[in-house]
């Protein structure tokens, strides 16, 4: 049951996949789990579709966590989001509206090979685990492998670097699988949310250049409201703005690709903290981090549902 | 110990280069020591005023700290011992399961 699974612990890939399958069986009125492909090492890439089952055409929101393997708070939040959605559907009018009117496609662990490797070998691994025939180094930065100004500023051509862009765009099967899914469903996916750590920021396009997006007004307002709501929970401050200015310029990332490919509202969260623990955010901070982030995501979703074209 | 105690003695250090010369020197040192950069995402981003957090193995930390002191580059040790931080942040049950 939902109450048996401990959402305030970090879970291995196997545990997360078992949890997904369990929900698929026990909450079939709201959840459907399916695979969109296989990772480099052959692991299934599971997506969890969340929403009140309906045959009517509905808009959708895509959420992915764990593009970078060592950012464990991301997958923890993806699981938390699902739990909260199911627990509060009956009692929270906003959640009820969200699940009645939208489908959420949630990928709790994007980089399954890297995540597994960070559990078993190297806690601070970032990239995928693909092999390179010419170099001894493995892996590609899955957030530099998308076809949007690919391998330009902020990405590396060297396979041993942590921001290696890959031999070509969408070389990583994980990136390819998600890109194919988003292309196929782009007409009804209205928002793209990607969860990373750490910096305490809410970012929107562009990341690859210094420029203002055409729908800046709605996006900026949504971001402002989201960080204000987030701060109201525990007083934690998040910065927000275009990624290129707020964080740094990086090319080939998923948020920019999603935006360029017709998803009008694309955001990337950099969750807690700002360096005291860094990637080693203690398990006792999972609950406050996820609680405040939940409010931010609900805010963004409701704003986009009600206020944005 | 988790991960066969491989992170024992490793540190995470925060540096903010105050000048472009400092940034250039740090970048060179990062390349030489093959540091694990926690932020920013790439050594190429390091410039004057950039907050850089580096994870440095125990055997290289003495070299880096000596360099920083000689170059009068200010730094702050965020995590004194990465293995301890790793184990303190996980519940005993999680650690037992993972072992």
């Amino acid at each position: 049951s939902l109450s048996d699974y401990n959402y305030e612990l970090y879970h291995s890939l196997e545990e997360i996949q078992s949890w997904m399958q369990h929900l698929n069986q026990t909450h079939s009125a709201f959840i459907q789990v399916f695979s969109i492909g296989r990772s480099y090492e052959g692991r299934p890439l599971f997506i969890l579709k969340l929403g009140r089952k309906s045959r009517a055409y509905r808009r959708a929101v895509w959420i992915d966590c764990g593009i970078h393997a060592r950012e464990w708070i991301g997958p923890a939040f993806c699981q938390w989001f699902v739990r909260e959605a199911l627990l509060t559907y009956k009692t929270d009018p906003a959640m009820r509206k969200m699940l009645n009117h939208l489908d959420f496609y949630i990928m709790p662990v994007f980089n399954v090979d890297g995540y597994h490797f960070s559990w078993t070998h190297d806690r601070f691994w970032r990239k995928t685990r693909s092999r390179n025939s010419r170099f001894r180094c493995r892996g590609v930065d899955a957030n530099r492998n998308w076809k949007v100004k690919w391998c330009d500023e902020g990405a590396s051509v060297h396979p041993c670097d942590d921001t290696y862009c890959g031999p070509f765009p969408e070389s990583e099967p994980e990136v390819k699988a998600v890109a194919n899914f988003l292309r196929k469903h782009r007409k009804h996916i209205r928002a793209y949310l990607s969860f990373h750590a750490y910096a305490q920021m809410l970012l929107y396009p562009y990341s690859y250049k210094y420029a203002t997006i055409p729908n800046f007004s709605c996006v900026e307002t949504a971001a402002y409201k989201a960080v204000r709501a987030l701060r109201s929970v525990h007083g934690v401050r998040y910065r927000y703005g275009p990624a290129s200015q707020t964080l740094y310029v990086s090319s080939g990332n998923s948020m920019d690709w999603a935006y360029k490919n017709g998803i009008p509202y694309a955001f990337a969260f950099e969750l807690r903290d700002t360096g005291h623990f860094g990637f080693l955010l203690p398990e006792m901070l999972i609950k406050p981090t996820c609680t405040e982030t939940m409010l931010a995501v609900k805010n963004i979703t409701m704003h986009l549902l009600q206020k944005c074209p | 110990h988790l991960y066969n105690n491989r992170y024992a003695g490793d540190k995470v250090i925060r540096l903010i280069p105050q000048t472009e010369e400092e940034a250039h020197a740090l970048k060179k040192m990062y390349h030489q020591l093959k540091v694990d950069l926690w932020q920013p995402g790439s050594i190429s981003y390091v410039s004057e005023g950039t907050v850089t957090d580096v994870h440095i193995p125990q055997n290289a930390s003495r070299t880096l700290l000596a360099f920083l002191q000689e170059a009068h580059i200010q730094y702050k040790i965020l995590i004194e011992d990465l293995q301890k931080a790793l184990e303190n942040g996980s519940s005993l049950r999680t650690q037992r399961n993972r072992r």
Side-chain angles (χ1 to χ4, degrees), chain B:
Chain B
H1 291 286
L2 298 172
Y3 300 100
N4 293 324
N5 211 33
R6 65 183 281 185
Y7 302 112
D10 288 14
K11 297 186 190 320
V12 178
I13 301 173
R14 172 163 288 180
L15 300 114
I16 305 175
Q18 300 299 308
T19 64
E20 281 304 325
E21 289 74 27
E22 282 186 5
H24 179 76
L26 280 175
K27 284 161 75 168
K28 195 173 167 188
M29 184 56 71
Y30 290 166
H31 277 299
Q32 280 178 5
L33 296 178
K34 292 183 172 43
V35 299
D36 169 24
L37 199 60
W38 279 24
Q39 70 163 335
S42 165
I43 292 176
S44 64
Y45 291 130
V46 176
S47 64
E48 180 187 338
T50 306
V51 174
T52 76
D53 294 345
V54 291
H55 159 210
I56 189 120
Q58 184 185 27
N59 57 0
S61 62
R62 287 189 208 99
T63 306
L64 178 63
L65 290 175
F67 163 78
L68 295 175
Q69 282 159 13
E70 195 179 310
H72 305 293
I73 296 176
Q74 289 190 344
Y75 65 91
K76 178 182 173 184
I77 297 179
L78 295 177
I79 300 177
E80 183 66 48
D81 187 313
L82 205 52
Q83 187 71 35
K84 284 184 185 161
L86 212 156
E87 292 178 356
N88 287 343
S90 286
S91 68
L92 286 174
R93 176 176 165 263
T94 305
Q95 290 184 47
R96 192 169 57 242
N97 287 348
R98 288 168 63 189
R99 279 195 291 272

Side-chain angles (χ1 to χ4, degrees), chain A residues 58-305:
Chain A
R58 281 147 56 121
R59 290 173 292 177
V61 175
W62 169 276
I63 295 177
D64 64 54
C65 301
I67 282 184
H68 292 136
R70 58 189 178 183
E71 297 162 14
W72 286 10
I73 188 62
F77 172 72
C78 266
Q79 295 165 77
W80 189 280
F81 180 87
V82 173
R83 191 272 295 256
E84 278 300 294
L86 295 174
L87 274 183
T88 63
Y89 172 80
K90 287 185 179 173
T91 55
D92 180 354
M95 185 59 76
R96 191 160 57 249
K97 187 167 186 174
M98 281 163 54
L99 295 187
N100 283 347
H101 289 93
L102 294 169
D103 287 326
F104 287 86
Y105 294 108
I106 299 165
M107 191 171 194
V109 186
F110 184 110
N111 179 4
V112 289
D113 296 345
Y115 187 78
H116 177 75
F117 190 74
S118 73
W119 263 76
T120 55
H121 289 81
D122 182 353
R123 175 65 179 83
F124 305 108
W125 188 258
R126 170 184 166 101
K127 299 187 288 183
T128 64
R129 292 293 297 162
S130 56
R131 288 181 195 274
N132 186 294
S133 58
R134 293 173 56 215
F135 290 86
R136 60 177 171 76
C137 300
R138 289 179 73 160
V140 168
D141 187 336
N143 214 26
R144 300 290 186 277
N145 191 236
W146 300 75
K147 195 174 179 182
V148 53
K149 210 90 187 296
W150 173 78
C151 219
D152 205 83
E153 191 174 348
S156 172
V157 297
H158 201 287
C160 295
D161 287 348
D162 257 359
T163 53
Y164 175 48
C165 57
F168 51 87
E170 297 181 21
S171 62
E172 303 311 281
E174 299 86 352
V175 172
K176 185 79 173 174
V178 172
N180 283 344
F181 183 88
L182 294 177
R183 274 189 281 261
K184 185 177 172 184
H185 293 89
R186 71 166 160 228
K187 285 192 178 160
H188 74 275
I189 293 179
R190 298 282 294 159
Y192 171 89
L193 306 178
S194 189
F195 288 85
H196 297 259
Y198 60 89
Q200 290 177 199
M201 292 179 182
L202 175 52
L203 307 169
Y204 49 82
Y206 298 105
S207 190
Y208 72 92
K209 63 179 178 180
Y210 295 108
T212 304
I213 50 176
N215 59 343
F216 168 80
S217 176
C218 227
V219 168
E220 201 270 350
T221 305
Y224 165 72
K225 286 183 173 180
V227 302
R228 190 178 61 178
L230 188 154
R231 188 176 162 191
S232 73
V233 182
H234 297 295
V236 172
R237 291 175 188 256
Y238 270 52
R239 290 168 55 194
Y240 69 98
S244 56
Q245 295 169 36
T246 314
L247 189 59
Y248 42 69
V249 170
S250 70
S251 55
N253 75 56
S254 63
M255 177 185 69
D256 281 348
W257 183 91
Y259 187 76
K260 184 188 156 199
N261 276 266
I263 297 174
Y265 304 104
F267 296 90
F269 278 81
E270 292 278 353
L271 300 178
R272 285 201 202 185
D273 60 8
T274 55
H276 184 79
F277 294 110
F279 300 119
L280 298 182
L281 197 71
E283 286 173 323
M284 61 184 281
L285 292 182
I286 291 177
K287 180 176 177 180
T289 303
C290 291
T291 305
E292 66 198 15
T293 308
M294 192 75 202
L295 198 55
V297 172
K298 281 167 62 178
N299 244 269
I300 286 178
T301 308
M302 292 303 289
H303 182 80
L304 299 183
L305 259 181

